[in-house]
Amino acid sequence: MVRLKTVLVTQARVGSTRLPRKILKEIEGKSLLQIHLERLKKCKTVSKIIVATTNNPVDKIIYEKAINWGFHVSKGSENDVLDRFYQAVKNDKPDWIVRVTSDCPLVSTKLIEDLINFSLENNYDYAANNISKTFPHGFDCEFMKYGILEEAWKKATSKLDREHVTPYIRNNKKIKI
């Protein structure tokens, strides 16, 4: 079986409006971000994990901590999240991309692996475990072909499509979801 190059990207920033700096809050001496990243390292089908943070100076701490913990980090636009996400993976040109967010520190690696396997078995271009609300909020993950992300990055023009990574993909009727 050919091993496909799958990159997992987790979006991270400290500018939460409901609970500022929540990903830096600690449980038993570890930040929620560190717990999140340690859990993600257990994904067997992922070849690389990238923390996609912003260029905002307040997020410098995320960059520094993730590097110190041995993770790849990319910085980009705070508002054009689609661009930030695409810039994080474009040099790798992976076959597939997993998208999660760091404000979900307890995301299940089993759910991620199951989503990857389900998508590959059914030949989907894009899949998510939150299209139908079958899992509690906080366990969201998405899986997409790199080419689908690249198309969204090139063609998406609306504010909504640029502020988020996948609305363009989810609303594109040509994409097999």
Side-chain angles (χ1 to χ4, degrees):
M1 180 174 175
V2 175
R3 180 150 167 91
L4 299 172
K5 185 176 181 181
T6 302
V7 172
L8 185 148
V9 179
T10 184
Q11 295 166 215
R13 63 186 185 97
V14 296
S16 170
T17 54
R18 290 175 293 197
L19 181 56
R21 302 176 60 86
K22 85 174 142 186
I23 64 171
L24 300 177
K25 304 287 185 202
E26 292 189 357
I27 298 174
E28 294 189 6
K30 288 186 179 182
S31 71
L32 292 176
L33 178 60
Q34 186 176 4
I35 293 167
H36 174 73
L37 292 172
E38 287 175 358
R39 291 174 68 85
L40 294 176
K41 278 181 22 179
K42 295 177 183 176
C43 289
K44 293 175 179 66
T45 56
V46 170
S47 51
K48 184 177 187 178
I49 297 171
I50 301 171
V51 178
T53 191
T54 78
N55 288 320
N56 187 326
V58 300
D59 289 324
K60 182 179 179 186
I61 191 166
I62 293 171
Y63 181 88
E64 291 170 350
K65 286 185 177 290
I67 291 289
N68 287 338
W69 296 326
F71 291 91
H72 300 276
V73 185
S74 176
K75 294 194 285 185
S77 172
E78 186 169 15
N79 298 317
D80 188 344
V81 184
L82 176 57
D83 183 65
R84 180 182 356 141
F85 195 87
Y86 175 74
Q87 296 302 326
V89 298
K90 76 174 187 178
N91 291 335
D92 288 299
K93 290 190 173 50
D95 299 300
W96 292 93
I97 302 160
V98 176
R99 177 181 175 263
V100 296
T101 58
S102 65
D103 59 352
C104 299
L106 302 179
V107 65
S108 167
T109 54
K110 180 171 180 350
L111 282 178
I112 292 170
E113 297 285 341
D114 287 350
L115 181 66
I116 290 170
N117 291 329
F118 176 80
S119 301
L120 294 174
E121 288 168 8
N122 291 286
N123 197 31
Y124 289 132
D125 296 329
Y126 169 87
N129 69 350
N130 61 1
I131 293 173
S132 298
K133 296 293 180 188
T134 53
F135 295 96
H137 187 66
F139 291 90
D140 302 346
C141 53
E142 297 172 290
F143 186 64
M144 68 197 85
K145 288 183 178 177
Y146 171 75
I148 298 302
L149 174 67
E150 188 173 48
E151 177 183 334
W153 177 76
K154 288 177 180 176
K155 295 182 178 179
T157 57
S158 78
K159 184 177 179 182
L160 175 74
D161 289 344
R162 302 305 301 193
E163 285 180 343
H164 303 280
V165 177
T166 56
Y168 177 89
I169 294 168
R170 287 181 178 220
N171 294 322
N172 187 329
K173 302 295 183 220
K174 295 182 286 181
I175 296 172
K176 185 176 179 191
I177 295 178

